[in-house]
Each structure stands twice: as C-alpha cells, then as structure tokens.
Amino acid sequence: MSVTHAPETVDVLLRQDPELAEILLGEADRQATTLQLIAAENFTSPAVLAALGSPLANKYAEGYPGARHHGGCEIVDVAERLAVERAKALFGAEHANVQSHSGSSAVLAAYAALLRPGDTVLALGLPYGGHLTHGSPANFSGRWFDFVGYGVDAETGLIDYDQVRTLARTHRPKALVCGSIAYPRHIDYAFFRDVADEVGAYLIADAAHPIGLVAGGAAPNPVPYADVVCATTHKVLRGPRGGMILCGGELAERVDRAVFPFTQGGAQMHTIAAKAVAFGEAATPAFTAYAHQVVANARVLAAGLAAEGLVVTTGGTDTHLVTADPAPLGVDGRTARGRLLAAGMVLDCCALPHTDARGLRLGTAAATTQGMGEAEMTRIGVLFGQVVRGEIESQKAREEVRELVGGFPPYPG
Ligand SMILES: Cc1ncc(COP(=O)(O)O)c(C=O)c1O
C-alpha cells in the first residue's frame, strides 16, 4: 500500500501500533485509488492535516479566548482568535463562532440561540433535500420543534418559493430555515429574508454545502440576509471536519452561549487551528479559482450524465452538487450506486422529490482538489453511463478508474 501523506505519522504508528497503521494506510490507499464523488467530502491540505495532528489536541479549553475555565490557554486563545478573525473577513460577518464540533452541532446551537422548545420552524422538507436537523423525527429538531416543510416544484425541481410564502403566512413560524443536503441550485436568500421580515421570523441559513463556494466567490453569500448562518468546514471549504456559525453583532452573545455552555463542552483546539488554516487557504486567489472550477466541473458532469440518459434534477447545477435519477437506464438508484461502488466510483443515494425512488447524489469538490478538470468530468460521465447500464465489467471499470485517479494523487509525494 502506498503512503500518501504524513509519512512520519505513519512511521510512528507502524512502530507502535501496526494494527492501526494498517487501517490508516488502507484508508489512504482507498481514497487514492477510487474516485471520490461524495458531495460532502474533500481532501484537506497537508497543512490542515498537520494542525489536526498537532499537540493542540492535548489542550482543554472550555469557554472563549480570554475567558476560559482552564489555565494555560494563552497560546490556543491566539489560534481561536485567528480562526474567528479569518472567518469574519472571509464571509463579511460581524461575528463568528468556530467551536461547533459539526454542522449538526452548529444547527442545534442556532436553534438554541433563537428558539424555545415547541416553536414552529419552516424548513425544506426531508423528502425534498432537507437535512436531519431540519425536522426529522429521528433528530432533536423533530422532537423539540414543530417543523413545517416546504418543497420543490414537481416539474422544475426548484424550491417552490410561492409555497414558502404561503406556508409562512399560514403558520407564522418563529424561524425560517433555508439550506439543503442535495439542492444543486443557488438559494434566493433575499427572498427568504423578505418572507421572514413579513411574518416576523428569524432567518437561519444552513449553508453547510455551499459555504466553500461562498468563500471562493462562486455562490451567493447568505451572511447579509440571514440572522444566523450555520455551516460545515469540511465540504467544499476543504477544512477539518467541523462546524461554524456566523451572525450579526447583536446575536453574538446568544450564539456563543448557545454553543458553550448550552450545547457543548471544551473546544477542540486542534480542529479550530485547522479551521484557521483552511480559512487562510480559502482567502487566496488559488481557492477562488478552485471554487469556480468545482462548479465548472459539476456542470460538465451534469451534462455528461444527461447525455448518458439519466434525468438530472433541475436540469443541471449552479454548485458542486449534482443529483440524478438513473431510472431511464433501467435501474433504480440503489442498484446503480452498487454498480458504481463496485467500479470504484464512490457516491451517495438521495431522495428524489415527488417520488418514492432513490436517486444518486454526487459532487466535484474532491476530484477538483485532485486537479481534475472538464476533460476528466466528460470521461467520468461516459464511464458512469456504461457502469450503470451494466455494459462494462466492474473489474474493467475499476481498472479504468484506478488509471484515471492515478494521474491525480490527492497527496502527491
Ligand atoms: C445542510 C446540512 N446541514 C447540516 C449538516 C450536518 O453536518 P455534520 O454531518 O457535520 O453534522 C449537513 C451535512 O451534510 C448538511 O448538508
């Protein structure tokens, strides 16, 4: 197996814990020899990985810079202030909280800051691409709040904005949530702000997916419109696994207290340092070019899938994300995904609005980080069609994928 990053880390593990080292090497090998099309994944930079594997992992730091419950926080305080300042500058926000352990924790804290149990919340329904934190009965959100779901238009697949306004007028929610796990188009934040103002609701933008595109100037920024923006740092943004919250100065204290002490304990200082690194990287011209390439690649991939006969939801994409129905090729989403996985193309299934069928969800963030461009997306689209139709043996397709990704190692050298 090949060592694809941080060989010194692997050497330490190989000496001390070969069993775990083998697992690490196996996963590194899997990532380098299969095609990563999961829309929520990316390859972090070696600098982000270095911060994650640093001694900052040892530090307990409950509270906020300058007001910690533990001693010895003077150095990690600087790291958190740096992450906060970089996040504020990157997204034009008055306040940033970078402590959320995940996207879900960020949403939980946003609700805790603005809502009381039993409040009504209007969000994209789960069958249309809403996240579990947008009212699933299996999640705290569905148990503690009264969620009303809006949907997408059956014909166009676009958010049914008329329905949003009608439901808001009928239910007078305390908060409106916009954001999705699978919506491939830009969201009209100005519209949501207008509706929220009309009915006296807070607007929460869950920008977990597009926030990296926002950083690179390739998607609209929700910050000027939403009261609170929740996000993940590990998708297109290419940072460590984690969350963050952006808001205006007037909500800063409520948001901070909702994160700690209300929903979390000690901050993960190694992750916060890694977030600072990622925000620094995202502020560079190279990242702007990357974000635009991610979208260009997704557009070519969407067109390629359509050319192969899949039905691409909304007819295309504005983002890193493509969702498609393989039914015209004679297979359902689960079967198609199984064939693609056997061929080394790693992706997810997703709900298909207005049907009981499962579709396919894929994204271009990771492949673009590897350096793939439109030519590779065209090649992937063709191979995708062959695999889903069962025209090519999975072993042969697997070799083709291995040859393709072999030219784009995620961690060269
Ligand atoms: C819209 C949205 N919100 C929240 C989350 C939750 O993020 P996490 O998995 O980090 O909890 C996701 C994750 O994909 C998401 O897409």
Side-chain angles (χ1 to χ4, degrees):
M1 281 174 213
S2 58
V3 178
T4 51
H5 72 84
E8 63 287 355
T9 312
V10 177
D11 282 347
V12 171
L13 275 174
L14 272 172
R15 275 197 303 276
Q16 188 188 313
D17 192 337
E19 193 180 355
L20 198 280
E22 270 308 301
I23 296 169
L24 194 154
L25 288 172
E27 174 59 12
D29 188 64
R30 186 198 67 78
Q31 290 184 16
T33 57
T34 55
L35 179 62
Q36 310 312 320
L37 292 172
I38 290 184
E41 290 185 0
N42 209 334
F43 293 105
T44 58
S45 70
V48 167
L49 289 178
L52 280 174
S54 72
L56 273 73
N58 302 331
K59 190 68 199 95
Y60 230 117
E62 271 184 356
Y64 289 98
R68 303 280 192 188
H69 292 262
H70 300 93
C73 290
E74 55 280 1
I75 311 274
V76 293
D77 277 3
V78 183
E80 183 163 345
R81 285 199 181 100
L82 187 62
V84 166
E85 289 311 315
R86 286 183 179 176
K88 283 162 59 180
L90 192 57
F91 300 105
E94 286 173 8
H95 182 69
N97 185 304
V98 296
Q99 291 196 4
S100 293
H101 298 327
S102 69
S104 300
S105 317
V107 178
L108 170 58
Y111 294 167
L114 302 178
L115 308 174
R116 308 287 296 171
D119 279 346
T120 300
V121 184
L122 181 58
L124 185 63
L126 268 60
Y128 307 105
H131 185 253
L132 288 168
T133 53
H134 302 172
S136 164
N139 182 265
F140 72 89
S141 55
R143 190 176 303 175
W144 292 348
F145 304 104
D146 184 10
F147 269 83
V148 178
Y150 55 86
V152 298
D153 183 87
E155 287 295 308
T156 63
L158 301 174
I159 289 173
D160 187 341
Y161 287 99
D162 290 341
Q163 188 195 24
V164 173
R165 196 181 286 280
T166 305
L167 288 174
R169 285 176 178 163
T170 307
H171 295 278
R172 315 295 295 185
K174 185 87 179 287
L176 251 71
V177 178
C178 55
S180 166
I181 61 170
Y183 192 64
R185 297 295 182 174
H186 292 323
I187 288 175
D188 186 346
Y189 297 116
F191 173 86
F192 277 99
R193 176 76 266 162
D194 187 53
V195 176
D197 286 344
E198 182 188 328
V199 300
Y202 289 114
L203 178 59
I204 299 172
D206 183 355
H209 269 277
I211 197 75
L213 297 177
V214 175
N221 187 355
V223 167
Y225 301 99
D227 296 291
V228 172
V229 176
C230 306
T232 55
T233 49
H234 50 266
K235 297 186 169 70
V236 186
L237 190 50
R238 218 157 58 180
R241 197 151 289 284
M244 74 172 158
I245 305 178
L246 307 166
C247 65
E250 73 289 353
L251 288 175
E253 204 185 323
R254 275 163 77 178
V255 163
D256 283 353
R257 293 180 72 77
V259 175
F260 174 84
F262 196 75
T263 57
Q264 287 190 179
Q268 300 195 347
M269 295 317 305
H270 56 311
T271 309
I272 288 173
K275 288 174 188 175
V277 174
F279 298 148
E281 291 174 353
T284 61
F287 191 88
T288 301
Y290 162 73
H292 285 86
Q293 188 63 51
V294 165
V295 177
N297 281 353
R299 289 204 164 118
V300 172
L301 190 56
L305 298 192
E308 290 299 319
L310 290 95
V311 179
V312 173
T313 319
T314 77
T317 183
D318 298 330
T319 65
H320 61 299
L321 205 150
V322 180
T323 63
D325 183 0
L329 307 193
V331 282
D332 61 29
R334 280 210 175 83
T335 308
R337 178 171 175 262
R339 289 181 184 174
L340 290 158
L341 284 175
M345 300 164 93
V346 187
L347 77 173
D348 293 322
C349 281
C350 66
L352 282 175
H354 300 288
T355 75
D356 291 333
R358 301 291 286 166
L360 299 168
R361 183 189 77 152
L362 50 164
T364 53
T368 308
T369 295
Q370 287 176 274
M372 293 189 207
E374 282 102 325
E376 286 73 33
M377 295 303 127
T378 303
R379 191 173 160 194
I380 291 166
V382 171
L383 186 60
F384 201 97
Q386 292 171 337
V387 170
V388 173
R389 280 193 297 269
E391 280 171 12
I392 179 171
E393 269 181 36
S394 59
Q395 200 46 40
K396 190 156 183 301
R398 182 78 190 76
E399 276 157 29
E400 203 173 312
V401 167
R402 190 182 277 269
E403 191 259 316
L404 170 72
V405 298
F408 301 91
Y411 296 102

